[in-house]
Amino acid sequence: MAVKTTSRKFELFAIHAHKGANVDYTQMMDLIVKTPPEKRVLINGDSALAVSKARKAEGLYFFTVVEGPIGVDPLIYDLVSASERTEELDDSEVLAERTHVLIDSIKRRAAIEYVRRGAKYYQVASVIEHVIRNSSQNMHSFGLDMSPVVEKDFLTEMSEFQRVRAARITVNKPNASWSDHYTGMSDIMDESNGDKASLEVNAPREGGLSKAKGVLKIIKDIVNDPQPYLQDVRLMGVRKGEDAETGLSLKKHVKHSRAKVSVDESGHVNENQAFHHLNGLIKQ
């Protein structure tokens, strides 16, 4: 019998935790592993998130995060009889999708499987934050963010713009404080006690933004930072040798890998293969 396979994308993120000046990322991940599964659940509006599995493997932390809507019974459609039926779930059950996550607590990197209907990286960060906050009384102020690790070709494409008319960026707070990774935005965010920041800058008519200073320099500095903390970037302008205006988005330049992975009879990704490909990405 032929082995069933599916294509999967795996993306890489930098981790930023917020609680005092010294954050022990290994201790933080150990807390997740030690917490009983029934306490690794986050109810967020009409959806549920849970770290259903958590273990330490080869010095890394391998999690399975499930996500699903609350109070929705799955609709089953029969292709032969053209009939429908609803499968009733218990009150404590949700129809969930799995997302595999591998974390290197030393490098502060998270490799995350992209599942179209599964938990996204910001949801993974939310459920980890929730579990750690509830692990002890002195962790109630704990915060966790993940920011994309950007492919090198992003700055290459950025340099191809003859004129940048507008730039919009969103940044997460880097690690313990804004001053840890200083940029032109650090002082105002630190003084404001800010957690996230968005900035949009537009050039004067027929003009362009400075490429050596200001917002474009901030973007370059953060992309090159060992622990990048950009959440999103969107540029609009005209590239060299072109007349029409085009855009550049950071979301299309997240460091990633793609692979064919085998699936079981239920159509779910093989866990060992997911670990293998996540591990390959995180070690790059």
Side-chain angles (χ1 to χ4, degrees), residues 24-251:
D24 188 328
Y25 285 83
T26 297
Q27 185 180 57
M28 182 177 71
M29 293 301 111
D30 283 336
L31 270 174
I32 301 291
V33 175
K34 294 173 182 177
T35 300
E38 63 272 16
K39 294 187 178 296
R40 299 195 302 244
V41 178
L42 170 62
I43 306 300
N44 188 8
D46 58 358
S47 69
L49 286 160
V51 182
S52 62
K53 296 180 183 179
R55 62 183 174 92
K56 195 169 185 177
E58 300 180 21
L60 306 174
Y61 295 86
F62 189 44
F63 301 156
T64 299
V65 176
V66 296
E67 189 273 339
I70 296 173
V72 177
D73 291 332
L75 177 68
I76 312 298
Y77 184 77
D78 190 312
L79 296 174
V80 175
S81 65
S83 61
E84 298 178 356
R85 78 175 192 279
T86 300
E87 191 73 29
E88 187 174 350
L89 301 177
D90 291 341
D91 291 342
S92 61
E93 295 178 322
V94 296
L95 181 65
E97 289 279 354
R98 289 186 191 133
T99 298
H100 295 102
V101 180
L102 189 64
I103 291 177
D104 186 327
S105 61
I106 305 301
K107 291 182 177 180
R108 289 171 48 192
R109 290 291 187 266
I112 301 177
E113 174 189 16
Y114 179 83
V115 181
R116 188 166 60 88
R117 292 194 296 268
K120 304 302 183 287
Y121 74 93
Y122 52 88
Q123 293 173 305
V124 172
S126 292
V127 70
I128 291 175
E129 177 187 86
H130 175 77
V131 174
I132 293 173
R133 278 188 175 186
N134 287 278
S135 63
S136 64
Q137 289 185 346
N138 67 344
M139 298 297 283
H140 284 175
S141 62
F142 177 83
L144 185 79
D145 287 308
M146 293 185 184
S147 300
V149 175
V150 184
E151 294 276 17
K152 293 179 181 178
D153 65 349
F154 178 81
L155 291 181
T156 301
E157 287 202 30
M158 189 171 163
S159 69
E160 293 173 355
F161 279 88
Q162 180 70 38
R163 178 175 67 90
V164 177
R165 177 182 60 80
R168 183 175 69 248
I169 70 171
T170 302
V171 297
N172 289 322
K173 182 179 180 181
N175 201 37
S177 74
W178 289 96
S179 59
D180 279 2
H181 304 259
Y182 193 86
T183 71
M185 293 178 67
S186 298
D187 286 340
I188 189 170
M189 292 311 302
D190 202 29
E191 292 168 2
S192 302
N193 193 30
D195 184 37
K196 288 181 175 62
S198 294
L199 175 66
E200 184 170 354
V201 184
N202 293 281
R205 183 171 300 190
E206 304 303 325
L209 298 176
S210 169
K211 295 181 180 180
K213 297 183 291 185
V215 65
L216 298 185
K217 183 178 186 301
I218 289 173
I219 293 170
K220 294 172 187 176
D221 287 346
I222 300 177
V223 168
N224 286 321
D225 195 293
Q227 300 295 347
Y229 53 99
L230 281 169
Q231 187 75 28
D232 192 21
V233 174
R234 178 70 177 173
L235 303 180
M236 293 298 297
V238 178
R239 286 177 165 85
K240 298 171 184 176
E242 298 181 2
D243 295 322
E245 188 172 85
T246 55
L248 176 63
S249 173
L250 179 143
K251 290 181 178 179

